[in-house]
Amino acid sequence: RGFEMGRLVGPPLTESEQAWIAEQRVFFHATAPLSAAHRVNVSPKSANELRVIDACTVAWLDLSGSGAETFAHIAQNGRLTIMLAALTGAPK
């Protein structure tokens, strides 16, 4: 599974997966430029701002940091990876 501009690329999230996402406290988002000469940007985020809109759409309010590197990468290639970490409970 992956996301394309906030849209899930792959099978829709099940109700169980949506509930699991809602229980998480931390997630990470990562972006990368097209050039291998530049850095990958990975940032931890509070999952308080992460929401499952529907089975194919997620959103979050990006409040911290300058956001310049993340924005530059997304503007360049539109790619963003979201990773959730089960710090409590069973992983998925």
Side-chain angles (χ1 to χ4, degrees), residues 44-91:
K45 300 291 180 183
S46 167
N48 290 337
E49 288 82 33
L50 180 68
R51 297 290 183 271
V52 176
I53 305 302
D54 60 39
C56 295
T57 310
V58 297
W60 85 90
L61 185 58
D62 192 10
L63 297 172
S64 59
S66 69
E69 196 168 24
T70 298
F71 176 79
H73 294 167
I74 292 172
Q76 181 186 52
N77 58 41
R79 297 183 303 186
L80 172 75
T81 298
I82 295 175
M83 181 186 80
L84 292 125
L87 301 178
T88 60

